[in-house]
Amino acid sequence: MRAPQPTAPYDPLTAEARNLLFRTASYLNGKEQEQLEKACAFAFHAHDGQTRKSGEPYITHPLAVATQLAVWHMDIQGLCAGVMHDVLEDTGVTKLEMAAEFGETIAEMVDGLSKLEKLEYNSQAEHQAESFRKLILAMTKDVRVIVVKLADRLHNMRTLGSMRPEKRRRIAQETLEIYAQIANRIGLNNAYQELQDLSFQNLHPRRYETLQKAMKASRRNRRDVVGKVLRAFSVRLVDANIEAKIKGREKNLYSIHQKMQAKNLRFADVMDIYGFRVIVNSIPACYAALGALHSLYQPKPGRFKDYIAIPKSNGYQSLHTTLVGPYGLPIEVQIRTWEMDAVAEGGVAGHWIYKSGESTVDQATLHTNRWLKNILDLQAGSANAMEFFEAVKVDLFPNEVYILTPKGKILALPKGATPIDFAYAVHTDIGHRTVAARINNTMMPLRTKLKTGDSVEIITSEQAKPNPAWLNFAVSSRARSAIRNYIKNMNRKDAVTLGENLLQKALSSLLPQNILLSDGLKEKYLEDLNNKQTTFEDVLYNVGMGHTLPVTVAMHIAELAGEHFGGEVRLSPIKINGGETGRVHLAQCCQPLPGDAIRALLIKDQGLVIHRDTCPNMLKADPDQQLDADWESITDQSFRATLVVGSRDTRGLLASMAQAISSSGADIESVETPQKQPGTEGFIEFKFFLKVKNTEQLNDIIRALHVIPQVQRIVRV
């Protein structure tokens, strides 16, 4: 399709939108303005005859999107992509035609912005997830794609009134959860706050209206206070010979609403609805201004944050402090340079806004590029679009902690992060090989929550591998995705091996000659399943995962081999060697040891769990899921065992117990002393977590402990 000449016949409304775009994009040179006019004409022709829900010509929307991009000083390719962002999705124009007119880069950007409309999906959620994945992956190739998308979403949210109420709520919820957070993540602060407020307005219109009225009333009541603070700031900074621009600002409605909800406050109780921004010429001037303002109003303890020394993960830099102002009102103050202010308002778009601040802007772009690399890692580790969608949502965390490596490097992690999150943030291989961690030079559990300023050292082992239990406390999407991906790959291999073992044992119980499972029998079995997508490895995997009972598959195969039988079928015992794999676990509830009578329980999605045969959980389990099990000859392995020892409380008691245990050749992993109960004065209980070889060694320990006169009872947990 050839673009018409720039003399396309715009109607008055369209002409007004087009003229506003060119006034806002006046920073373009003559050649770039010609290219933008060509893109406008191309989009006008493509959308000719289309209207929005409001009845306005459709072209007014892409023109408004491009105007917003011009406010952010987007380059010419980004502006052209903004004008034409719906052309491939909503018209008959192809990507090849667009590339021929405007080049491959612009065509790729527009294609990345187009939804996946022509494919079939099982649900709206799946469709949304696939479209989102396409957008995010396009963003990793060219970050301008997401900037255009945010401008698109911003204009759609501003004009959401013509939509049905339920659709408004759905779009607003998606915007709040995803697009506002992305705007925050790449540093588009104004867009972040406006998207929050617009989402709040459409999700809770009555609350929004009530809060808006309260804000207007407060604005009148507190005008004098704001003016007084601005004058006092100005005088003090002039006296200190600091050149600065001072701005007063209100917090956005959504952040006030969040604070009211979190702290159960009324609007009248929210004091810090106003903030002030001080913009100076250099970093030393930031700290000088901080000292001057701290001498003017008393700072609130614990409310100072230095984001200049330690920038946020989106590249944001500023000093934050809270002062006690007139009438005891708290005053939040941000102090930053002009370059920092450009990045704070424009994020990665600051690259186009403030070209002279290269070092600061590069820092913001660097942080965004790191995030985009993390997004690619999430994509590689996600099984499908839904899993990727959820992982990215988790990654868009609003709160962070800042952790030091042993070499003094600072890593930003989500609030609630643990040493496992830290290890995977350093490198995936470090995470996989983690065995322990030192926090501030002290050995601490891997589930310990980290605080800003903590120094963390990870201890690794070549033999270590990720533990599925880490998923219970890892919070970063990078760590969770890497752990899941590793376990998924290892679990399939383990499950197939276990499934093959179980199936062969079942067949040996059914077929007297113990004939081998031939390729011909496998093919016959798969033909009977009548599922062309299933391989025999899939069959073994399902057996190992507990989805299919091994006896069921074995009976089917035996019948295909011409064997007919009746009565109960019992598998030969599973041999346990004590080496846990991804599909064979020793139960933690009863901690079986070599020497205990054991049984195996086949649990869906877990594999085989080995219990003592007297374990209450085994007695309650479905008999069809149970298998006989025996220990193989085990020589050089240790197993966990737990003893609770009750005793009279005397001096040196714990040392005597430890001596009795170690003399038996066992290791003590840890000791707990449960809280004393009322009426048990003079009596104490110890819980010993031990590593032993077998029941014989455990019994030796119990006998040695009973020799101690103070010991009254010993229970194996």
Side-chain angles (χ1 to χ4, degrees), residues 286-297:
C286 290
Y287 292 97
L290 178 73
L293 297 183
H294 277 188
S295 68
L296 174 65
Y297 294 120

Side-chain angles (χ1 to χ4, degrees), residues 226 229-230 233 247-249 275-278 331-334:
V226 174
V229 171
L230 284 171
F233 276 14
K247 302 177 184 177
R249 61 182 182 85
F276 295 86
R277 185 172 301 156
V278 177
I331 304 170
E332 291 189 355
V333 184
Q334 300 169 350

Side-chain angles (χ1 to χ4, degrees), residues 646-657 676 681-686 708-712:
S647 172
R648 295 194 308 276
D649 192 3
T650 60
R651 183 184 297 275
L653 175 63
L654 182 57
S656 300
M657 291 181 176
K676 288 187 177 183
E681 289 75 12
F683 183 83
I684 190 168
E685 261 189 2
F686 294 97
I708 300 171
Q710 296 93 326
V711 172
Q712 296 180 349

Side-chain angles (χ1 to χ4, degrees), residues 51-57:
T51 58
R52 305 193 78 204
K53 293 280 187 184
S54 62
E56 296 174 331

Side-chain angles (χ1 to χ4, degrees), residues 429-490:
D429 287 342
I430 299 294
H432 285 345
R433 294 187 284 111
T434 296
V435 292
R438 288 192 185 94
I439 302 175
N440 304 322
N441 296 319
T442 303
M443 294 294 292
M444 297 293 286
L446 291 177
R447 60 172 61 246
T448 304
K449 291 186 178 180
L450 301 174
K451 304 184 298 296
T452 291
D454 282 345
S455 177
V456 179
E457 179 187 355
I458 297 297
I459 300 165
T460 62
S461 167
E462 291 297 330
Q463 289 73 44
K465 59 184 179 182
N467 187 332
W470 292 353
L471 291 171
N472 295 327
F473 50 83
V475 298
S476 68
S477 56
R478 180 184 179 90
R480 295 179 65 82
S481 176
I483 295 166
R484 279 203 192 101
N485 204 33
Y486 185 94
I487 292 171
K488 190 187 307 172
N489 293 335
M490 290 302 296

